[in-house]
Amino acid sequence: RQGSMGGGNQEMRLRRRPPLAPRLVRRPKAEARRSFVVPGVACVVVVLLLTWSSPDGWLTTSHMSFRQKAGDFYWLVRSAYSRSTVTGDEEARVFLAPKDKKRLSKGLDVGAAKAECKSQETFLAMHLKVPKAASTTVFDLLYALHHENHFAIDSRPIYISELHEGRTRREYAAYLSSFRVKTVRTAHCPYVDLGKLGYPRPAYFGLVREPIKRLRSHYEYLHWGPRSRWATFWKGQDVTAPSFDQCVASHEKNKMRIEKGDCLYWANAQLAYFCGFTSKRCPAPQEISVSDDAGRRAFTQATRNVDRDFVAVGVVERLHDALFVFEHILPAYFRDARRASVGLVSRANNASNLLQRATKSSSSPTPPPQQQQNHTAFLRRVLAWEYNFYDKMALDFEAQFQACRRRGGGSIDHHHHHHHHRGPHQTSYIA
């Protein structure tokens, strides 16, 4: 029996298949993709560090930091993708020749847009995106509208070279004027006079916000706002800073210098943005805060820019009314804007938003408790010229709003007029 068993085992061994050649081990797709990420990122880093011009050839980048080059590359890719989605749409494929842009530019009538609420056609709508003046809200709204209304979005930042200011401006003007499809430009960049640089004038639009509220919001956002991990990584976030009221009290009492990152650093930012403070003829926000002459010059230039190039300037405190006006003045871009804005929740940093974040995670940064002190008189002195500008824009907006109501037969949703209905846990529209 043992012999038979042994023989059986031998027969089984003889019947076994020959050993197979070793198989190649296939890595999971996710792992394979990850293997290309590091070399890809390394190549991008090398290109950004070594090149003196942007990948598309439009801009000189030698004056930019690595962070600025990376940001320029990121927004360049997003802008190119946005334009490709428009040109890929058979129904909306309308390529604009230079003569078309000149025709549309000459046809702009800013006076009629304001006095008569006359709609305007433009190849390029420039959103003057002032920080904490509903900037994120309008940005998100434009992205909600651009597929339906068939326009592209460009958010490429402008980095002006201090040594070659004129060249940098001409390069950006040439880039912005090169688009062959209807485009909305929305980025945190001051006003740039494209017409003065020899290019067709676009249609500017924007929003202004009550100056003290905007300044407080800006300061609290920088230190405790819900910023993305990317923004926090690149720019940092000092969550140990004093509260806005504490910082203002120190300035009022000690007359300290305005340092970068403190509560007065971005005072008068709205006025400086509309003036175009990267231009030599326009003072920086910090200069406006300490010099009456600088404030007067900025106010004069800003109002001149608005009168010449802005088809509409709305007021954040009346955002729904502003969208009503934008729908009338720039219908090709803002058609159905009020409908699209319903339910749109901004990434704003109002008190309720910060409170929700604090209750969700004990590690979430929250601002220090506010002191019950009134520094309004001091802040109004610092922001005197911005208040002059804000008041003028509010008066002009009311006149344009009434003109649009007359033209539209008073067609505005009274349920939303002046105020939005918000639930107890819904964040504000203002960003």
Side-chain angles (χ1 to χ4, degrees), residues 104-114 116 118-120 311:
L104 291 173
S105 178
K106 290 180 179 179
L108 281 177
D109 191 341
V110 174
K114 293 175 179 176
E116 306 167 19
K118 183 179 179 181
S119 63
Q120 304 294 307
V311 295

Side-chain angles (χ1 to χ4, degrees), residues 127-192:
H127 171 214
L128 194 75
K129 192 181 176 190
V130 177
K132 310 315 298 176
S135 59
T136 302
T137 301
V138 176
F139 180 88
D140 291 347
L141 179 60
L142 289 168
Y143 267 93
L145 292 170
H146 82 287
H147 282 301
E148 183 179 339
N149 291 345
H150 308 297
F151 62 84
I153 295 177
D154 179 83
S155 298
R156 201 172 183 180
I158 293 180
Y159 301 114
I160 300 294
S161 169
E162 294 182 2
L163 296 177
H164 305 285
E165 180 187 325
R167 182 193 68 189
T168 312
R169 288 178 178 281
R170 288 190 295 272
E171 289 176 350
Y172 277 108
Y175 166 73
L176 293 170
S177 301
S178 69
F179 303 148
R180 298 185 63 198
V181 294
K182 291 188 307 178
T183 303
V184 171
R185 157 78 172 180
T186 173
H188 286 310
C189 298
Y191 167 84
V192 176

Side-chain angles (χ1 to χ4, degrees), residues 134-369:
S135 59
T136 302
T137 301
V138 176
F139 180 88
D140 291 347
L141 179 60
L142 289 168
Y143 267 93
L145 292 170
H146 82 287
H147 282 301
E148 183 179 339
N149 291 345
H150 308 297
F151 62 84
I153 295 177
D154 179 83
S155 298
R156 201 172 183 180
I158 293 180
Y159 301 114
I160 300 294
S161 169
E162 294 182 2
L163 296 177
H164 305 285
E165 180 187 325
R167 182 193 68 189
T168 312
R169 288 178 178 281
R170 288 190 295 272
E171 289 176 350
Y172 277 108
Y175 166 73
L176 293 170
S177 301
S178 69
F179 303 148
R180 298 185 63 198
V181 294
K182 291 188 307 178
T183 303
V184 171
R185 157 78 172 180
T186 173
H188 286 310
C189 298
Y191 167 84
V192 176
D193 189 348
L194 299 186
K196 188 176 182 180
L197 295 168
Y199 293 92
R201 289 191 178 276
Y204 266 98
F205 69 95
L207 289 156
V208 292
R209 184 178 179 184
E210 198 279 330
I212 291 179
K213 291 181 180 178
R214 195 215 67 83
L215 180 59
R216 179 188 290 273
S217 179
H218 197 162
Y219 178 75
E220 293 183 348
Y221 172 76
L222 291 177
H223 292 290
W224 307 284
R227 309 185 79 180
S228 66
R229 291 183 179 179
W230 177 260
T232 304
F233 173 75
W234 280 114
K235 301 178 182 180
Q237 193 171 33
D238 180 13
V239 298
T240 64
S243 71
F244 180 78
D245 289 329
Q246 290 169 342
C247 179
V248 171
S250 297
H251 276 282
E252 185 174 15
K253 182 179 179 180
N254 303 319
K255 294 182 169 43
M256 302 184 307
R257 287 183 56 188
I258 299 175
E259 302 289 346
K260 186 173 183 179
D262 80 13
C263 53
L264 297 187
Y265 187 77
W266 287 109
N268 293 292
Q270 290 182 115
L271 180 56
Y273 263 68
F274 278 87
C275 179
F277 69 89
T278 53
S279 170
K280 290 180 179 178
R281 69 170 179 266
C282 282
Q286 301 78 28
E287 188 179 350
I288 298 172
S289 298
V290 298
S291 170
D292 188 65
D293 179 65
R296 183 180 292 103
R297 285 189 289 115
F299 174 82
T300 301
Q301 186 61 49
T303 52
R304 187 178 297 151
N305 295 340
V306 170
D307 291 343
R308 181 184 57 238
D309 283 341
F310 283 76
V311 295
V313 177
V315 178
V316 170
E317 288 75 19
R318 298 176 57 186
L319 184 55
H320 196 263
D321 293 348
L323 296 180
F324 171 74
V325 171
F326 293 166
E327 284 179 341
H328 280 73
I329 302 300
L330 295 170
Y333 300 95
F334 281 95
R335 185 177 66 247
D336 293 331
R338 286 175 294 160
R339 176 192 57 77
S341 71
V342 175
L344 181 68
V345 178
S346 164
R347 292 166 279 166
N349 65 315
N350 58 32
S352 62
N353 193 10
L354 290 172
L355 181 61
Q356 289 177 49
R357 292 171 61 237
T359 55
K360 286 180 182 177
S361 171
S362 58
S363 62
S364 299
T366 54

